[in-house]
Amino acid sequence: MDSVEQATPDIKQRVQELTQILQKASYEYYVLDAPTIEDAVYDRFYHELRDLEICYPELISPNSPTQRVGERPASQFISIKHNVPLYSLENAFGNEDLITWEQRWRKVEPDISQADYVCELKIDGSALALTYENGLLVRGATRGDGVTGEDITSNVRAIRSIPLRLNLDNPPPLVEVRGEAFLPLDTFEQINREREQSGDTLFANPRNAVAGTLRQLDARMVAQRKPDFYAYTLHFQTDKIHLASQWDALEFLQTVGFRVNPERQLCPTMQDVFAYCDRWSIGRTQLRYLTDGVVVKLNSFDLQERLGFTQKFPRWAIAFKYPAEEAPTIVEDIIFNVGRTGAITPVAKLRPVQLAGTTVSRATLHNRDRIEELKLCEGDTVIVRKAGEIIPEIVRVLPELRPEGAQSYEMLTHCPECGEAVVKPDDEAVTRCINTSCPAILRGALTHWASRDALDVNGVGEKLVLQLVDQGLVHSVGDLYELTIEQLLTLERMGTKSAEKIIQAIQDSKKQPWARVLYALGIRHVGSVNAQVLTQSFPSVDLLAQANPAEIAQVYGIGSEIAQSVHGWFQNHGNQRLIERLRSAGLQLVGEDGNTPLIATAITGKTFVVTGTLPTLKRDEAKAMIQKAGGKVTDSVSKKTNYLVVGEDAGSKLEKAQTLGVTLLSEDEFLQLLEPRS
């Protein structure tokens, strides 16, 4: 075959121009919060750059905006030693501790008459160490123990507020940047809503959520969860750049492309530090992220260097910690909630207590392990706090106040709703009811189906669902579409007009798109975002039902756990019957680009691999055409492969296909196969 066309100087220049435009746009959007180009314009430039890189892969550079998220998950993280250690900070719990700290450093440097401080909010997230070589991001690592961390470079590259290239014309050979990755509160709450809808255990707080996010093996999940990042210090050795203070360093970090906390303040005296800490003890509740304190640093780098470090801490910095608000109360009972996926969550009913400005009367106990860990008994006095200032949790039990003869709580062995035995899978912490006829699971499924983000069936809420299930009018989602006005009129407080509106709302829900229907099915781990992603790659229910786990896992943002869950759901005979009922009822089980019922072609049901550069089609276009026509697309050639669509520079896949006797197709032959059968 002919060699791949080489990029001309004009093409190389265009790639450089597009890279610079997109980098500048990202800086303005994610760092300055002042975008100068419209999203549609950004997307057009991005796609132009991506298309050029596909045609001329030798022009792809590590700092290209298209390279933020890789296509393949990491198999594991490796431990690495930090070039510059990440030290812990000594804690201060009040102004007296700050005064003691100041007195201590002044004993080391008694001749200092005037010293100013920099105060920065202490973000409740995960510390990261970033390494830039000649201005390019080459490594991102977790803090670990401060000396050794884990290499999570692929995940760090997925964080949009971390620049892939420093905004410097002549960068130093090596720059080490330190900062905090975190999840904004609205993002954290959205993630937990998605997890609740998918039947997953909720994250207790944003800190745990971002730590779990950064340890995902698939960087696409990191990009989907959208963590943010604030830089707070840097290290380099060069005579070209002179920074005299921490304040200078923060200004420099923002100039070269990083987000820096806008609430930082230069404080001339310790009294100003007191005022800053006091102001944010209340003001932090209005922030878009969680902070558990203030980091106070001596501003002068020269003074920092002279003071140095103890064995554990820098002498020139300290963390002022706000106390976590806690309160004692009494556990009056434990109840067990059954979710729509059968997950059983123990919840402690508490004697109401004021905490962080709200009245708390319940606290989640998460699972059986947590009950056993707390050794909780009837009538126990417990200490309660809001985890991450959001979710009430029991911190500890005060056994010395336990009533005499109190019985310990244990996880139930049978479902509180249907009485069937519950199970606890070995690979999960959650106990589940697996009876698909359980009223609680049915109620949850119906409520989810009718919810706003799903099919948005106005009038079908929890109260109506409770009556429909209790009266035996509905035994599955499919039954909703067979309800009559006469049946609804048998329910409490149901008039003719209300019944007519509900029936009309149910009928209107048939117009909701395929993505919403998929989300409404309540498949475990499939939230609204994942449903949208899946339906873009599988534009009909038939294509998704026919796909195997490997094919589903190839979809951007979908990992193996989600793929297994989706595949398993469609293998269930009861779920297959439900799909047929929904199809008969007229639900939208095909997207705008779908093709159900499929027009029979030679491609229908066949497995394809696409390799090399095709004359007129992009690979993604060819794959979409195969899937739309009812075929399957995989990335690797095997005995199950029916066809290999071959372009120029095909490589090892072509050799393997020839060895296995797989049928080879040119682009023209492939397009002929797409023609409908007569």
Side-chain angles (χ1 to χ4, degrees):
M1 293 185 179
D2 297 334
S3 59
V4 178
E5 182 182 353
Q6 297 298 308
T8 65
D10 288 345
I11 291 173
K12 292 179 181 179
Q13 182 179 350
R14 182 55 177 167
V15 167
Q16 292 176 353
E17 290 174 351
L18 290 169
T19 299
Q20 292 171 357
I21 290 170
L22 293 171
Q23 287 174 339
K24 182 175 182 291
S26 291
Y27 173 68
E28 291 167 341
Y29 185 91
Y30 291 102
V31 177
L32 301 182
D33 197 22
T36 58
I37 66 174
E38 297 292 332
D39 289 349
V41 177
Y42 181 96
D43 290 342
R44 190 174 72 241
F45 286 145
Y46 182 93
H47 287 115
E48 182 184 350
L49 176 60
R50 186 194 62 185
D51 291 345
L52 286 173
E53 290 177 343
I54 290 173
C55 293
Y56 307 99
E58 72 274 11
L59 298 183
I60 299 175
S61 65
N63 65 301
S64 171
T66 66
Q67 301 303 299
R68 277 200 175 271
V69 181
E71 291 297 323
R72 295 190 177 185
S75 58
Q76 62 179 355
F77 297 125
I78 61 173
S79 295
I80 55 171
K81 188 173 182 179
H82 295 302
N83 296 325
V84 179
L86 283 77
Y87 283 87
S88 300
L89 295 178
E90 182 182 1
N91 289 329
F93 296 98
N95 290 349
E96 298 80 4
D97 291 342
L98 290 175
I99 293 171
T100 300
W101 169 68
E102 183 181 43
Q103 292 172 341
R104 194 162 57 241
W105 74 254
R106 285 188 179 279
K107 286 181 181 179
V108 180
E109 291 289 334
D111 296 333
I112 300 295
S113 58
Q114 178 65 31
D116 53 2
Y117 302 91
V118 173
C119 288
E120 304 166 59
L121 293 177
K122 187 175 181 296
I123 308 299
D124 201 10
S126 291
L128 295 180
L130 312 177
T131 302
Y132 289 81
E133 293 181 358
N134 298 314
L136 299 181
L137 176 66
V138 297
R139 192 175 77 180
T142 62
R143 180 186 182 279
D145 61 5
V147 176
T148 302
E150 287 185 315
D151 188 336
I152 58 166
T153 304
S154 59
N155 288 348
V156 165
R157 295 173 68 85
I159 301 175
R160 289 282 182 175
S161 47
I162 293 179
L164 301 179
R165 181 189 184 99
L166 299 180
N167 186 24
L168 285 173
D169 292 333
N170 191 14
L174 184 68
V175 178
E176 296 281 334
V177 176
R178 303 290 184 262
E180 197 83 1
F182 64 96
L183 283 172
L185 290 175
D186 56 351
T187 303
F188 167 72
E189 291 166 358
Q190 176 62 33
I191 290 171
N192 260 354
R193 282 196 296 271
E194 292 276 349
R195 293 178 70 83
E196 183 176 25
Q197 292 161 357
S198 303
D200 294 332
T201 303
L202 302 187
F203 286 120
N205 53 56
R207 181 181 64 255
N208 289 353
V210 76
T213 296
L214 292 174
R215 297 201 79 259
Q216 292 286 324
L217 292 175
D218 192 342
R220 294 173 293 185
M221 181 61 73
V222 181
Q224 185 175 315
R225 290 183 179 175
K226 300 178 182 178
D228 208 336
F229 179 83
Y230 279 144
Y232 53 67
T233 193
L234 78 163
H235 307 273
F236 56 79
Q237 294 180 345
T238 179
D239 296 330
K240 301 174 184 176
I241 301 172
H242 178 69
L243 301 176
S245 67
Q246 171 66 12
W247 193 259
D248 290 346
L250 293 174
E251 296 289 307
F252 178 79
L253 282 166
Q254 184 162 302
T255 300
V256 300
F258 289 94
R259 285 174 62 87
V260 177
N261 195 304
E263 311 304 341
R264 62 192 184 277
Q265 181 174 319
L266 186 61
C267 297
T269 69
M270 184 56 73
Q271 291 299 321
D272 295 309
V273 173
F274 294 163
Y276 181 92
C277 294
D278 186 57
R279 175 162 61 91
W280 285 107
S281 66
I282 298 174
R284 64 195 178 108
T285 61
Q286 305 302 315
L287 294 170
R288 69 184 187 94
Y289 49 82
L290 286 184
T291 176
D292 58 357
V294 173
V295 175
V296 184
K297 300 175 184 176
L298 281 161
N299 189 31
S300 167
F301 280 166
D302 180 62
L303 183 54
Q304 287 186 16
E305 186 175 354
R306 297 204 305 270
L307 287 171
F309 298 81
T310 68
Q311 289 186 347
K312 293 184 177 181
F313 312 118
R315 292 189 176 93
W316 42 266
I318 195 167
F320 181 91
K321 300 295 289 290
Y322 294 117
E325 186 173 350
E326 300 179 346
T329 188
I330 293 175
V331 177
E332 296 182 334
D333 195 8
I334 291 183
I335 59 176
F336 296 90
N337 292 333
V338 184
R340 64 179 176 83
T341 64
I344 299 176
T345 305
V347 177
K349 292 183 66 176
L350 308 172
R351 185 169 296 174
V353 61
Q354 285 292 312
L355 190 62
T358 61
T359 300
V360 173
S361 58
R362 294 191 177 197
T364 179
L365 291 166
H366 301 295
N367 51 53
R368 179 176 63 187
D369 294 343
R370 184 57 177 159
I371 295 177
E372 293 176 352
E373 179 185 351
L374 289 170
K375 297 180 173 60
L376 200 59
C377 292
E378 298 172 351
D380 267 345
T381 298
V382 296
I383 301 299
V384 183
R385 73 177 173 202
K386 285 191 174 181
E389 300 179 6
I390 296 176
I391 303 172
E393 69 173 358
I394 294 176
V395 181
R396 61 187 179 277
V397 176
L398 303 179
E400 62 273 18
L401 300 179
R402 179 170 292 154
E404 186 175 350
Q407 297 295 310
S408 62
Y409 285 109
E410 295 182 357
M411 192 69 182
L412 44 71
T413 58
H414 289 74
C415 176
E417 291 280 349
C418 67
E420 293 291 325
V422 298
V423 299
K424 181 182 178 299
D426 293 337
D427 59 344
E428 295 184 20
V430 178
T431 301
R432 295 184 183 277
C433 173
I434 57 173
N435 174 21
T436 55
S437 299
C438 176
I441 296 176
L442 176 57
R443 291 197 301 269
L446 291 168
T447 302
H448 174 69
W449 179 270
S451 64
R452 179 176 299 177
D453 291 339
L455 294 199
D456 194 18
V457 187
N458 189 31
V460 181
E462 291 184 5
K463 292 182 179 179
L464 180 63
V465 165
L466 180 62
Q467 289 194 70
L468 291 174
V469 174
D470 286 350
Q471 297 297 322
L473 297 179
V474 174
H475 300 281
S476 79
V477 166
D479 291 338
L480 281 177
Y481 296 91
E482 297 178 5
L483 282 173
T484 64
I485 293 175
E486 291 72 24
Q487 287 176 314
L488 291 180
L489 289 175
T490 64
L491 303 179
E492 281 185 29
R493 300 179 181 178
M494 181 65 67
T496 302
K497 287 187 177 180
S498 296
E500 290 174 347
K501 288 181 179 179
I502 290 171
I503 294 297
Q504 185 60 51
I506 292 173
Q507 295 303 310
D508 290 343
S509 73
K510 296 178 181 180
K511 302 174 185 177
Q512 294 287 9
W514 161 222
R516 284 205 176 201
V517 176
L518 178 59
Y519 168 61
L521 290 173
I523 301 173
R524 199 163 166 230
H525 306 308
V526 178
S528 58
V529 174
N530 288 336
Q532 187 68 46
V533 169
L534 283 168
T535 55
Q536 289 172 356
S537 294
F538 299 96
S540 75
V541 70
D542 295 313
L543 293 177
L544 185 56
Q546 294 165 8
N548 61 45
E551 292 166 340
I552 298 171
Q554 289 176 7
V555 177
Y556 178 88
I558 303 298
S560 59
E561 186 177 19
I562 299 173
Q564 290 288 350
S565 178
V566 172
H567 180 260
W569 192 92
F570 279 104
Q571 298 308 301
N572 181 278
H573 294 302
N575 294 334
Q576 293 170 2
R577 289 192 295 271
L578 173 61
I579 292 298
E580 292 310 311
R581 289 190 67 187
L582 297 177
R583 194 195 305 274
S584 298
L587 273 293
Q588 300 298 312
L589 302 179
V590 56
E592 292 180 2
D593 297 327
N595 195 20
T596 300
L598 293 171
I599 300 174
T601 70
I603 282 178
T604 305
K606 302 297 184 180
T607 300
F608 285 72
V609 174
V610 182
T611 187
T613 303
L614 301 175
T616 65
L617 293 174
K618 296 182 178 66
R619 283 197 214 176
D620 289 345
E621 291 175 340
K623 291 178 180 179
M625 293 167 73
I626 292 166
Q627 291 173 336
K628 184 175 180 180
K632 301 177 183 179
V633 182
T634 62
D635 278 340
S636 57
V637 177
S638 70
K639 293 180 180 179
K640 296 182 179 180
T641 304
N642 298 110
Y643 297 104
L644 179 71
V645 182
V646 184
E648 293 190 5
D649 195 24
S652 60
K653 292 180 181 178
L654 174 58
E655 295 176 4
K656 187 172 182 180
Q658 290 171 330
T659 302
L660 294 174
V662 174
T663 301
L664 307 181
L665 298 175
S666 66
E667 181 182 294
D668 287 341
E669 291 169 333
F670 164 66
L671 293 174
Q672 290 175 12
L673 278 182
L674 283 173
E675 296 176 2
R677 292 174 178 171
S678 57

